[in-house]
């Protein structure tokens, strides 16, 4: 369990991750609970279903994890091992924000801010794959050491075109494999792939779900909760 605090002017917004259920003492505060295990309605909070994909990196061996990958992933990752790339991890907020926001502009996503990223403090890690110093793909993970959970928050690649599509595609998959081994070796037990839309009417999110499922894992149903003050503040500032 961990708590992230964000300030918007005089207001403090509390974002609480991986709790079993909301604490009633937070009813009057601007509090959002993310991915609670409880599926019950809690008085004083608005509940919303959340689905995600959990991968057991704690008890499965590396070979077992790799065998759970789709054949496409296995083939592309093996091919990527022959590429001249560099893989590493760090906590460089500015570099990640710059790389992600270039991707976000191309994909028409909301850009990240330095305030948003630094609010995670030591609970965030960025992983990178690069070619001759130029980043190809990067992932941002939320770390909950107490629960043994590492959760994918952000993922970005360099802008793809027909010429470099396959290289970027296999490099991104190679980075995911690096992530699995990195966090497994650090003692984390569960890798959370960051949510599933499960909306077959939306082809883009359906494609993202398909990609995440190609790494194996189990679909898990959880809950997001918002206190009423958090609900109204979110409507005003348009923040999650």
């Amino acid at each position: 369990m961990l708590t992230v605090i964000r300030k918007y002017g005089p207001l403090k917004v509390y974002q609480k991750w991986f709790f079993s259920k909301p604490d009633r003492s937070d009813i009057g505060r601007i509090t959002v609970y993310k991915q609670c295990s409880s599926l019950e309605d809690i008085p004083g909070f608005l509940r919303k279903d959340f689905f995600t994909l959990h991968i057991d990196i704690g008890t499965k061996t590396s070979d077992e994890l790799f065998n759970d990958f789709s054949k496409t992933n296995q083939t592309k990752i093996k091919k990527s091992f022959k590429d001249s790339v560099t893989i590493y991890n760090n906590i460089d907020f500015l570099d990640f924000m710059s790389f992600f926001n270039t991707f976000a502009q191309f994909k028409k996503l909301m850009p990240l801010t330095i305030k948003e990223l630094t609010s995670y403090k030591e609970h965030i890690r960025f992983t990178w794959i690069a070619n001759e110093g130029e980043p190809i793909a990067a992932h941002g993970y939320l770390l909950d050491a107490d629960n043994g959970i590492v959760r994918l928050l952000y993922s970005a690649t360099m802008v793809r075109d027909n010429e470099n599509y396959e290289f970027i595609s296999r490099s991104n998959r190679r980075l995911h494999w690096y992530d699995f081994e990195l966090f497994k070796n650090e003692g984390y037990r569960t890798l959370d792939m960051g949510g599933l839309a499960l909306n077959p009417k939306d082809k883009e999110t359906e494609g993202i779900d398909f990609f995440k499922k190609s790494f194996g894992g189990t679909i898990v149903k959880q809950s997001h909760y918002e206190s009423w003050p958090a609900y109204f503040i979110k409507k005003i500032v348009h923040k999650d």
Side-chain angles (χ1 to χ4, degrees):
M1 301 178 293
L2 56 90
T3 300
V4 175
I5 302 174
R6 291 179 180 159
K7 293 182 179 180
Y8 301 98
L11 301 176
K12 283 186 178 181
V13 177
Y14 296 85
Q15 194 180 84
K16 297 192 173 184
W17 289 85
F18 312 122
F19 283 69
S20 59
K21 63 180 181 180
D23 190 310
R24 291 185 62 83
S25 64
D26 283 323
I27 287 177
R29 294 205 300 180
I30 307 171
T31 309
V32 177
Y33 280 84
K34 295 282 195 177
Q35 296 186 229
C36 291
S37 56
S38 172
L39 301 178
E40 300 177 359
D41 291 329
I42 306 294
F45 294 88
L46 296 171
R47 190 188 78 83
K48 183 179 180 181
D49 287 340
F50 183 82
F51 294 90
T52 192
L53 197 66
H54 279 179
I55 297 172
D56 176 11
I57 60 173
T59 62
K60 287 192 174 184
T61 66
S62 292
D63 285 344
E64 289 172 332
L65 288 169
F66 194 78
N67 288 336
D68 285 342
F69 288 5
S70 69
K71 294 301 181 183
T72 298
N73 284 351
Q74 292 179 17
T75 299
K76 290 194 174 189
I77 291 168
K78 288 176 182 177
K79 187 173 182 179
S80 178
F81 274 99
K82 300 176 183 178
D83 294 330
S84 296
V85 294
T86 304
I87 306 180
Y88 56 97
N89 68 91
N90 62 23
I91 315 178
D92 193 320
F93 297 107
L94 288 175
D95 275 0
F96 186 84
M97 183 182 70
S98 176
F99 184 74
F100 181 90
N101 285 350
T102 299
F103 171 80
Q105 184 177 19
F106 176 75
K107 299 290 286 186
K108 295 181 172 56
L109 303 173
M110 287 293 294
L112 293 174
T113 66
I114 196 65
K115 177 186 289 189
E116 180 179 355
L117 283 179
T118 55
S119 68
Y120 294 112
K121 298 182 178 178
E122 72 275 12
H123 301 297
I124 197 168
R125 184 95 58 86
F126 308 117
T127 61
W128 302 81
I129 186 166
N131 178 31
E132 297 181 350
E134 182 179 6
I136 308 165
H139 302 154
Y141 285 92
L142 183 66
L143 310 177
D144 182 354
D146 291 338
N147 281 336
I149 297 173
V150 54
R151 197 265 199 195
L152 181 64
L153 281 177
Y154 310 109
S155 180
T157 65
M158 63 188 303
V159 176
R160 306 183 188 193
D161 55 35
N162 291 335
E163 182 179 346
N164 62 15
Y165 180 88
E166 283 301 324
F167 175 62
I168 295 172
S169 175
R170 66 177 180 263
S171 296
N172 187 43
R173 285 168 167 83
R174 169 86 181 278
L175 182 59
H176 277 291
W177 176 234
Y178 167 84
D179 300 341
F180 277 43
E181 291 198 301
L182 171 69
F183 295 119
K184 175 179 175 60
N185 291 334
E186 290 187 358
Y188 288 92
R189 299 184 296 276
T190 302
L191 191 145
D192 185 322
M193 290 297 285
L196 296 170
L198 300 182
N199 181 9
K201 295 181 179 179
D202 188 324
K203 295 303 179 184
E204 183 169 356
T205 59
E206 186 180 30
I208 295 171
D209 284 357
F210 180 82
F211 177 77
K212 291 179 179 181
K213 291 176 184 177
S214 71
F215 291 93
T218 303
I219 296 177
V220 176
K221 182 179 180 180
Q222 299 176 320
S223 297
H224 285 341
Y225 292 93
E226 293 178 336
S227 67
W228 280 103
Y231 173 79
F232 288 117
I233 290 297
K234 190 174 77 171
K235 291 295 183 183
I236 295 171
V237 300
H238 304 288
K239 292 292 183 180
D240 190 10

